[in-house]
């Protein structure tokens, strides 16, 4: 490997890796993504996945998927499966290395006995609360446990009996014997094992003691031969502890490098909070299109490539920051603008009758599927005497600067004809517009004025007789403010939930080419945004989600910055 040219050091992590390869500290690159299966993955995890997998690819190395499954009471198979699906969908390939910390339980236990024999670990009878109380603070040293100086024999005997199930849950722990006055609190005799009678999703009831994350994580990396253990900043203070364990046991040492976690505006990212939203029914599930989860983004219509593009653009840094969710949406919009077929859909329909066309009149327009990609060809769009148009595109009395349909005004029906409004018919009871009447200019076929006269607005339409019906779901941010953790006085982050984050429209009218839309299909509905087929779609029932609107607030931010 060292004879190959190194990839450019575009960030501090690659700089460090290049340094390690040049110095010969490592001769290969092996990374991992280590999720705890206690929730669904979110966009922050996508950043970690793209980073770790990207490094393995750039250096011709390997990438492991490793579940850090040391906490059975919060973990489960549903999460294991969803994580696998999401990592695969993002395009990261762990080959045959689907690994589990729980596969190392026997080895971790043996190393714990080794540390006891070396006089570096002891069984402590303090309760969890007492351990915490003895820990001291950043400014005061901790207090040594009265059980700290038990003999090796007594410790071994008690630890084996802990494993054998002789003691109740929480009554004893195994602790590393380091230094209760250490300036880094993580090294004040941290707990390595606790007694916990919980069924594990993989090891069942084999164990009633479980390693802590801190004891398991570094050794798991070591067992797998990970060279660069990339993790988020909150583990910086744990690094000395991981190194202490590795050294005390005397095994291969990976290098840990920390980077700043991703935060996004208008959302929460902690799994605990996302779980609460799911459990309380604030959203429809982990894959609700409003969720920042990978499965939610997938259902919302995001593509793996748009998410990878986003992760590449935000890069990695050493300092925590908040990324504007508009950038994430921008990445999708930019891709779909290039790739998504165009279609016409009317979300809030009102009927438009073209008075100077005969009853039963039908003609067909050939419309480009995607003007950004002429090779995509054209589609046939039927046109007839009765159309649906958006309710918002018609007014009986126009407000200032309103150039769409109102009696006397002329607009262009996208790709079809110029039409002039002759009047509106209103519901006698509600006063709502029930029907719009207009006449076409027969010489404007294709939407071009024969005399070159100016028409200010172009509106979309769907032939009434040919329309397919659909349900369309529109989304807004899940929270009303950019930083939902900024709780209102006397309240919590939860109070910042946006009560109007979803709007479900039924009876929408779509052009007939959309009848064949399949799960995974994405479209630009003219003038409305990008939409995708929702998995609730079934025979006789079409459901679409709006992925993003057309207005690109990120492009505006970028322009303002320049
Ligand atoms: P939470 O704090 O939301 O419970 P977590 O960080 O504990 O999540 P893990 O399953 O332990 O979740 O995370 C797996 C990996 O993903 C870790 O290496 C972690 O550093 C990384 N990760 C988690 N959240 C983010 C984020 N917001 N940005 C970047 N990486 C993240
Ligand atoms: Mg974690």
């Amino acid at each position: 490997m060292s004879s190959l040219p190194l990839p450019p050091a575009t960030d501090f992590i690659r700089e460090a890796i290049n340094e390690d390869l040049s110095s010969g500290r490592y001769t290969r690159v092996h990374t991992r993504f280590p999720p705890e299966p206690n929730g669904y993955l979110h966009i922050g995890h996508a950043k970690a996945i793209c980073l770790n997998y990207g490094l393995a690819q750039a250096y011709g190395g390997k990438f492991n998927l490793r579940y850090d499954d040391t906490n059975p009471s919060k973990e489960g198979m549903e999460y294991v499966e969803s994580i696998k699906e999401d990592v695969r969908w993002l395009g990261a390939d762990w080959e045959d290395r689907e690994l589990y910390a729980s596969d190392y339980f026997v080895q971790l236990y043996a190393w714990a006995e080794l540390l006891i024999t070396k006089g570096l670990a002891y069984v402590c009878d303090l309760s969890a609360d007492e351990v915490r109380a003895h820990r001291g603070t950043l400014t005061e040293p901790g207090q040594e446990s009265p059980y700290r100086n038990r003999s090796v024999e007594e410790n071994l005997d008690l630890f084996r009996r802990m494993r054998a199930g002789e003691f109740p849950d929480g009554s004893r722990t195994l602790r590393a014997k380091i230094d209760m006055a250490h300036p880094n609190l993580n090294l004040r005799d941290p707990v390595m094992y606790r007694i916990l009678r919980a069924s594990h999703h993989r090891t069942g009831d084999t164990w009633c003691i479980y390693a802590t994350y801190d004891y398991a994580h570094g050794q798991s990396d070591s067992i797998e031969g990970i060279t660069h253990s990339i993790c988020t900043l909150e583990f910086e203070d744990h690094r000395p502890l991981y190194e202490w364990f590795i050294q005390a046991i005397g095994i291969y040492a990976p290098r840990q490098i920390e980077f700043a976690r991703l935060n996004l505006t208008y959302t929460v990212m902690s799994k605990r909070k996302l779980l609460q939203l799911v459990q309380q029914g604030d959203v429809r599930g982990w894959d609700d299109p409003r969720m920042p989860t990978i499965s939610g983004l997938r259902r919302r219509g995001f593509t793996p490539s748009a998410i990878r593009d986003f992760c590449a653009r935000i890069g990695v840094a050493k300092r925590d920051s908040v990324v504007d969710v508009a950038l994430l949406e921008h990445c999708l919009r930019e891709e779909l603008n290039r790739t998504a077929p165009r279609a016409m859909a009317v979300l809030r329909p009102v009927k438009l009758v073209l008075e100077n066309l005969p009853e039963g009149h039908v003609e067909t327009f050939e419309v480009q599927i995607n003007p950004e990609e002429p090779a995509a060809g054209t589609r046939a769009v039927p046109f007839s005497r009765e159309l649906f148009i958006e309710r918002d595109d018609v007014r009986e009395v126009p407000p200032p600067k309103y150039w769409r349909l109102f009696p006397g005004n002329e607009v262009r029906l996208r790709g079809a004809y110029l039409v002039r409004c002759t009047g509106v018919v209103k519901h006698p009871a509600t006063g709502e517009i029930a029907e719009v009447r207009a006449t076409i200019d027969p010489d404007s076929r294709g939407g071009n004025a024969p005399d070159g006269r100016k028409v200010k607005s172009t509106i979309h339409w769907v032939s009434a007789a040919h329309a397919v019906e659909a349900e369309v779901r529109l989304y807004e941010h899940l929270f009303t403010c950019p930083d939902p953790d900024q709780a209102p006085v006397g309240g919590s982050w939860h109070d910042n939930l946006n009560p109007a984050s979803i709007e479900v429209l039924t009876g929408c009218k779509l052009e007939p080419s959309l009848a064949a839309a399949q799960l995974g299909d994405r479209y630009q509905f003219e003038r409305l945004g990008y939409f995708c087929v929702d998995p609730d779609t079934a025979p006789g029932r079409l459901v679409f989600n709006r992925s993003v609107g057309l207005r690109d607030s990120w492009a505006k931010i970028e322009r303002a910055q320049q």
Side-chain angles (χ1 to χ4, degrees):
M1 164 117 216
S2 51
S3 61
L4 289 173
L6 295 171
T10 43
D11 56 54
F12 71 96
I13 295 180
R14 286 169 190 239
E15 239 163 58
I17 294 178
N18 283 357
E19 198 182 277
D20 288 343
L21 294 172
S22 306
S23 72
R25 177 172 173 185
Y26 299 103
T27 54
R28 62 200 169 83
V29 170
H30 197 153
T31 60
R32 84 288 175 267
F33 172 63
E36 190 186 342
N38 61 352
Y40 280 58
L41 298 182
H42 53 58
I43 182 75
H45 293 116
K47 174 178 178 177
I49 294 164
C50 291
L51 175 57
N52 280 293
Y53 183 61
L55 290 172
Q57 277 193 308
Y59 288 92
K62 288 182 175 165
F63 166 81
N64 291 2
L65 172 60
R66 187 185 63 247
Y67 292 95
D68 269 340
D69 54 349
T70 53
N71 192 5
S73 47
K74 292 190 172 162
E75 298 166 0
M77 279 315 288
E78 178 195 354
Y79 301 134
V80 168
E81 291 305 323
S82 75
I83 288 170
K84 225 182 298 183
E85 185 185 355
D86 291 347
V87 178
R88 194 180 291 122
W89 180 77
L90 269 180
D93 182 7
W94 58 88
E95 298 173 273
D96 58 350
R97 290 179 304 280
E98 175 188 330
L99 303 166
Y100 294 81
S102 53
D103 290 340
Y104 315 139
F105 281 177
V106 172
Q107 178 66 76
L108 290 169
Y109 176 86
W111 281 334
E113 285 206 353
L114 175 71
L115 292 180
I116 292 173
T117 346
K118 288 186 172 186
L120 295 174
Y122 61 97
V123 171
C124 178
D125 300 359
L126 295 180
S127 68
D129 285 341
E130 289 166 328
V131 169
R132 217 168 296 125
H134 277 72
R135 212 167 168 224
T137 63
L138 282 173
T139 50
E140 292 162 54
Q143 253 175 287
E144 294 193 349
S145 159
Y147 306 99
R148 196 171 198 264
N149 295 311
R150 280 175 162 154
S151 69
V152 168
E153 292 68 36
E154 188 184 2
N155 279 322
L156 258 188
D157 172 62
L158 285 173
F159 188 48
R160 286 174 183 166
R161 287 164 61 195
M162 274 170 65
R163 179 189 185 174
E166 287 187 28
F167 310 119
D169 283 12
S171 61
R172 290 193 156 97
T173 56
L174 182 73
R175 298 176 66 180
K177 192 169 178 177
I178 307 180
D179 180 358
M180 285 309 291
H182 202 286
N184 182 337
L185 270 67
N186 291 309
L187 281 91
R188 292 186 187 170
D189 291 11
V191 171
M192 296 165 57
Y193 274 90
R194 70 256 195 232
I195 306 173
L196 178 67
R197 283 170 181 78
S199 217
H200 187 279
H201 56 100
R202 297 190 84 240
T203 58
D205 296 323
T206 310
W207 296 86
C208 65
I209 56 171
Y210 288 96
T212 56
Y213 184 87
D214 273 349
Y215 176 63
H217 185 73
Q219 279 74 268
S220 301
D221 280 344
S222 173
I223 291 170
E224 294 177 13
I226 299 302
T227 56
H228 296 89
S229 175
I230 316 286
C231 60
T232 38
L233 285 178
E234 69 270 25
F235 292 103
E236 197 167 7
D237 291 343
H238 297 240
R239 177 166 18 106
L241 175 59
Y242 298 164
E243 288 170 354
W244 186 91
F245 281 129
I246 296 274
Q247 228 179 5
I249 299 167
I251 50 177
Y252 161 83
R255 173 174 181 184
Q256 175 172 310
I257 303 173
E258 303 88 11
F259 71 101
R261 61 199 291 126
L262 167 67
N263 300 295
L264 263 192
T265 55
Y266 294 101
T267 192
V268 294
M269 208 85 95
S270 126
K271 278 191 273 191
R272 183 179 57 79
K273 291 177 186 163
L274 296 177
L275 177 65
Q276 190 181 330
L277 293 175
V278 172
Q279 286 180 336
Q280 295 185 352
D282 297 315
V283 293
R284 297 177 173 194
W286 283 99
D287 71 344
D288 187 299
R290 293 166 291 177
M291 291 279 271
T293 51
I294 296 179
S295 49
L297 292 168
R298 176 163 63 234
R299 187 160 185 177
R300 180 77 172 254
F302 274 80
T303 59
S305 44
I307 294 178
R308 290 195 300 262
D309 178 30
F310 170 73
C311 292
R313 288 195 203 203
I314 57 176
V316 285
K318 260 285 184 204
R319 190 88 65 76
D320 274 316
S321 67
V322 182
V323 174
D324 196 321
V325 70
L327 174 59
L328 178 62
E329 295 173 352
H330 171 80
C331 292
L332 179 66
R333 194 178 287 113
E334 207 174 68
E335 177 179 329
L336 294 182
N337 181 45
R338 278 189 317 247
T339 59
R342 272 45 172 180
M344 288 198 281
V346 175
L347 302 190
R348 297 172 178 90
V350 64
K351 196 168 267 184
L352 172 68
V353 179
L354 302 171
E355 293 172 324
N356 58 341
L357 287 177
E359 295 278 349
H361 173 89
V362 177
E363 61 187 294
T364 302
F365 288 97
E366 282 299 319
V367 182
Q368 266 196 318
I369 288 174
N370 183 355
E372 300 285 324
E373 198 202 344
T378 60
R379 66 189 197 274
V381 183
F383 176 89
S384 61
R385 183 174 189 268
E386 296 195 354
L387 309 175
F388 286 112
I389 60 173
E390 297 286 349
R391 195 162 273 286
D392 197 40
D393 285 339
V394 185
R395 297 292 160 88
E396 187 184 17
V397 182
K401 295 194 180 154
Y402 185 91
W403 306 118
R404 288 170 274 167
L405 271 184
F406 56 88
N409 196 40
E410 188 175 48
V411 302
R412 177 181 297 105
L413 294 177
R414 162 83 86 203
Y417 287 101
L418 302 184
V419 299
R420 188 177 299 277
C421 182
T422 54
V424 298
V425 180
K426 297 201 287 184
H427 276 295
T430 62
E432 239 192 2
I433 295 178
E435 194 176 284
V436 188
R437 320 281 300 186
T439 52
I440 68 162
D441 176 349
D443 295 327
S444 64
R445 196 170 196 279
N448 306 309
D451 53 1
R453 68 179 181 272
K454 277 252 177 307
V455 171
K456 282 203 169 151
S457 283
T458 299
I459 66 173
H460 59 276
W461 51 273
V462 169
S463 166
H466 303 87
V468 292
E469 286 227 350
E471 176 180 323
V472 175
R473 300 170 185 168
L474 306 179
Y475 303 100
E476 297 294 335
H477 298 318
L478 193 47
F479 291 90
T480 50
C481 53
D483 179 9
D485 286 321
Q486 213 67 47
V489 178
S492 80
W493 61 275
H494 195 263
D495 299 322
N496 290 322
L497 266 180
N498 177 4
S501 57
I502 181 170
E503 183 178 7
V504 177
L505 301 171
T506 53
C508 304
K509 307 289 185 179
L510 277 44
E511 71 168 65
S513 71
L514 291 169
Q518 303 273 324
L519 191 59
D521 288 349
R522 299 173 176 86
Y523 298 88
Q524 184 194 100
F525 289 175
E526 305 246 7
R527 298 174 65 221
L528 298 174
Y530 294 96
F531 293 74
C532 69
V533 177
D534 186 84
D536 283 344
T537 294
R541 180 173 187 223
L542 258 183
V543 184
F544 281 87
N545 294 312
R546 177 152 70 187
S547 310
V548 282
L550 287 179
R551 209 177 47 224
D552 192 339
S553 49
W554 181 255
K556 228 171 95 186
I557 295 168
E558 260 188 336
R559 270 197 305 276
Q561 281 169 350
Q562 277 162 11

